[in-house]
Amino acid sequence: MRFEWEKLGKIFAPNSGGSWGTSHAQVPFTLKFEDRVRVYYSTRGPRDERGQFVSVPAYVDFSRENFPKKIGASSGPVLKCGLPGDFDHFGAMGGSIVRSERGLVLYYCGWNRSVAVPYDWNIGTALGNPGGTEFTREDPGPLFGPTKTEPFLFACPVVFQFEGAWRMFYLGGTRWFKNADGGFESQYLLKAATSVDGNTWERDGIPLLPTVVPDESQTSATVIQIEHLFYLFFSYRFGEGFRESSAKGYRIGMAVSKDLRIWERHDADSGIDVSQEGWDSAMVAYPHLFSLDNQVYMLYCGNEFGSQGFGLAQLKTPLEGKSWRILSSFGD
């Protein structure tokens, strides 16, 4: 099945006017309320004295009745970074929010910095107030991190419930390697985990998808089921030169499965690519599918990993007469 999308343009650009949220709106994902579609995203303030950023989660609200009319936004980060030594001291990047018996649970990536390599990531959870405007880290340590077979880098947790089980797609690091300039680059691939309660997870560490470009990295899985098949959209890039070369930057791929376990790539059928010019002419990244009024939409980021914000696309592929549902967007 080949998908067709109509790009509706950039709908949000970060500009808090303060010391936070001055650039980037990465990894957008939705949480629906009665009157609004809330989009959480990860943003950055100015560089610190070391020339590095700290990533924090925030949100922007769009009218459900007049989507995508903006009607509100967070006045600051919704989750504070941890203390020195904590796994999330140098940043927190949201991946998904699930309504559960514990209330709103945010699954996120905590950032830390290293000496030998630039950074480290682990996945944690935070509990939100009823309105989803403020979250507090649930435990002192991460939800899961390194094992004997998965040594480093865990991020972009997309969590949902399906057929009585909790499921997660996440990225896991496979190696660090030196680039042409002598710096270190990480490689990470999409993986899956399952849980009975959303808190204790089982994972085998086996990548879901084959790679198709040199030293490929993959992130941001989002899934729609149409009839008896599952379609996974994700972003992927080259291992080197992705910052400088548009041809090596993030693109949105697609894979198909009958069982959510074995996937076959069909990237050319994703139906969305970079534009000829403008904010998404060098990259398209971090796709997130959701539905509204029986229409399927995709949020995605553009150039420089979403430094200029995120945009919206509407699915034009006819789904009338077919059974379908989006698994990776809560409430669909």
Side-chain angles (χ1 to χ4, degrees), residues 211-245:
T211 60
V212 297
V213 299
D215 303 314
E216 177 178 314
S217 281
Q218 306 160 352
T219 184
S220 301
T222 183
V223 182
I224 182 172
Q225 180 183 10
I226 303 176
E227 300 292 357
H228 301 295
L229 292 177
F230 302 93
Y231 299 87
L232 182 149
F233 290 79
F234 63 100
S235 53
Y236 69 99
R237 60 165 175 77
F238 283 69
E240 292 189 62
F242 56 90
R243 298 179 187 87
E244 301 81 16
S245 170

Side-chain angles (χ1 to χ4, degrees), residues 293-312:
D293 297 330
N294 211 36
Q295 297 292 321
V296 177
Y297 295 94
M298 177 192 291
L299 295 172
Y300 71 97
C301 291
N303 304 346
E304 298 174 333
F305 315 99
S307 69
Q308 301 173 46
F310 57 78
L312 184 71

Side-chain angles (χ1 to χ4, degrees), residues 121 150 152-155 169-175 186-192 205-213 215-220 234-237 265:
W121 303 326
E150 291 187 280
F152 42 69
L153 296 181
F154 308 92
F169 292 113
Y170 67 99
L171 68 83
T174 59
R175 69 188 183 111
S186 61
Q187 183 180 21
Y188 41 82
L189 301 174
L190 288 174
K191 301 179 181 183
I206 299 174
L208 293 180
L209 307 173
T211 60
V212 297
V213 299
D215 303 314
E216 177 178 314
S217 281
Q218 306 160 352
T219 184
S220 301
F234 63 100
S235 53
Y236 69 99
R237 60 165 175 77
R265 286 184 75 156

Side-chain angles (χ1 to χ4, degrees), residues 96-149:
S96 54
I97 292 176
V98 176
R99 291 186 174 101
S100 74
E101 295 177 351
R102 294 179 289 158
L104 292 177
V105 183
L106 168 66
Y107 292 82
Y108 72 99
C109 158
W111 287 69
N112 221 327
R113 295 177 185 172
S114 301
V115 175
V117 293
Y119 49 82
D120 189 26
W121 303 326
N122 287 288
I123 291 172
T125 55
L127 298 181
N129 61 6
T133 59
E134 184 176 322
F135 290 80
T136 303
R137 188 177 59 189
E138 188 171 19
D139 296 301
L143 182 70
F144 66 67
T147 66
K148 292 181 179 180
T149 56

